[in-house]
Amino acid sequence: MSQLLQNLKDVTSEIFESMLFLFIEPPQEEVGWNGTGIQSRVRVIGPQTFTVGITVPLALGCQMATNFLGSGDQELTLENVFDALKEVTNVIAGNFVNKLKTGAAYQVQIPEAQPVFLEYGSHRPIKGVMWFEVDGQLIELFIKNG
Amino acid sequence: MAFNVLIIDDSSTMRSLIRKIMGIAGFPVGQYFEGANGREALEILNHECVDVILTDLNMPEMDGKALLQTIRGKTDWKDLPVILITTERRPEILSQYSRLGFQGIINKPFRPETIKQVLSEIMGEPDVATIAESEGCDF
């Protein structure tokens, strides 16, 4: 794993633990995904413009939002779920940029989130993509140019 | 004495979280005001009496830097305590905000006790009786 990806993983792991009380782990072979998910991404503009993002199954997105708000009795809306995921992505990108050597030149843009269909295919190795398991559910963490 | 608090963040869930933490910490809050960006903050400041501002930096329409610049440029608001709630830790960037003037910074991700600590430094320690009346406190 490159240092860049390692930094992204470290930052994400810390943020999942401290903001969401969830732990990211290497995925088990049998873990896959299928159905509705949410993808949140944020562009970082600088000497080398890139996008950082995360894709999670809807059920995990709901769990993340519930943990983030720290309230089980509060009625969770889809808007809360999207908003919480965008905030998590924003915090991941911001803390990732803080670790870059030329960090001062980078500007984190406003995060966006959209529903996605998760096709069964499990965690294939793709450049710039890391797969993790959180509470038995698969998540995708990625960084790509542009 | 109860404080009127203005929370500015484009994330409504983050605003809810901050409000909740302040409640649990037992700070005597009179009224909460909320906005999603600097422009909304200025509108609230024009019509309401605010004692302390907690603001994000990275927001659409009008970001935290532009908000801070505007606040410090207005006689009525120039001494208003402003706390930044941000992922920003880069000294080169934060020095720009220091020149404008802010009273505290809370880095995201934050723990509830950090909000309590920073607010205590600016607003004073919360009243013990207020904490006891709140829904519980584990920090």
Side-chain angles (χ1 to χ4, degrees):
Chain A
M1 188 184 291
S2 71
Q3 188 57 50
L4 206 66
L5 287 177
Q6 184 65 50
N7 286 348
L8 183 59
K9 183 199 164 193
D10 291 347
V11 159
T12 304
S13 178
E14 184 196 337
I15 287 161
F16 264 65
E17 285 182 38
S18 58
M19 280 178 80
L20 307 170
F21 314 106
L22 293 169
F23 297 89
I24 66 171
E25 296 169 312
Q28 301 287 327
E29 274 305 312
E30 64 271 21
V31 174
W33 58 8
N34 196 17
T36 306
I38 306 172
Q39 185 171 88
S40 176
R41 52 175 66 201
V42 61
R43 207 156 177 244
V44 180
I45 294 176
Q48 193 183 354
T49 295
F50 59 90
T51 298
V52 172
I54 186 166
T55 312
V56 304
L58 181 59
L60 182 59
C62 292
Q63 189 183 345
M64 289 166 70
T66 301
N67 291 8
F68 180 69
L69 285 164
S71 175
D73 53 4
Q74 181 171 342
E75 196 174 314
L76 196 64
T77 64
L78 205 52
E79 189 187 351
N80 290 150
V81 178
F82 276 73
D83 193 63
L85 200 62
K86 281 195 289 184
E87 185 59 26
V88 168
T89 312
N90 179 51
V91 177
I92 290 172
N95 281 276
F96 176 68
V97 165
N98 287 334
K99 284 181 178 279
L100 294 175
K101 281 179 186 159
T102 52
Y106 287 96
Q107 283 189 318
V108 179
Q109 304 299 296
I110 304 298
E112 296 172 357
Q114 60 183 39
V116 289
F117 181 73
L118 308 177
E119 288 184 61
Y120 188 80
S122 199
H123 35 89
R124 288 169 290 129
I126 304 169
K127 190 184 172 196
V129 175
M130 291 180 284
W131 299 94
F132 299 103
E133 188 179 328
V134 176
D135 263 13
Q137 299 181 77
L138 196 63
I139 71 166
E140 175 195 46
L141 178 66
F142 62 87
I143 180 168
K144 64 176 193 178
N145 287 326
Chain B
M1 179 191 168
F3 295 90
N4 290 344
V5 178
L6 174 57
I7 303 169
I8 303 298
D9 198 307
D10 55 328
S11 164
S12 61
T13 49
M14 181 55 80
R15 296 198 303 268
S16 298
L17 180 65
I18 293 167
R19 206 171 54 230
K20 183 172 182 178
I21 289 171
M22 288 187 72
I24 291 171
F27 284 100
V29 176
Q31 276 186 282
Y32 286 107
F33 302 104
E34 292 185 18
N37 55 52
R39 186 184 52 74
E40 291 186 13
L42 295 177
E43 252 178 56
I44 293 165
L45 286 169
N46 273 320
H47 296 100
E48 306 291 348
C49 181
V50 170
D51 297 304
V52 62
I53 300 175
L54 290 91
T55 184
D56 186 17
L57 295 181
N58 188 23
M59 297 178 288
E61 290 190 51
M62 184 179 189
D63 63 15
K65 187 176 182 182
L67 172 64
L68 199 53
Q69 280 170 333
T70 307
I71 288 172
R72 294 304 178 229
K74 282 264 270 186
T75 312
D76 290 351
W77 303 332
K78 68 179 173 56
D79 297 322
L80 201 53
V82 174
I83 299 169
L84 309 181
I85 301 189
T86 176
T87 59
E88 190 60 72
R89 292 171 199 262
R90 295 170 288 178
E92 316 89 293
I93 306 292
L94 287 177
S95 64
Q96 298 169 19
Y97 292 92
S98 294
R99 281 195 289 274
L100 291 170
F102 62 87
Q103 280 60 44
I105 185 163
I106 296 165
N107 282 117
K108 297 177 185 174
F110 53 78
R111 297 188 185 281
E113 56 267 33
T114 307
I115 288 197
K116 182 173 184 259
Q117 183 194 332
V118 173
L119 279 169
S120 295
E121 287 166 7
I122 293 161
M123 298 162 75
E125 283 293 326
D127 183 9
V128 176
T130 315
I131 297 173
E133 286 165 13
S134 71
E135 57 188 288
C137 178
D138 59 357
F139 54 85

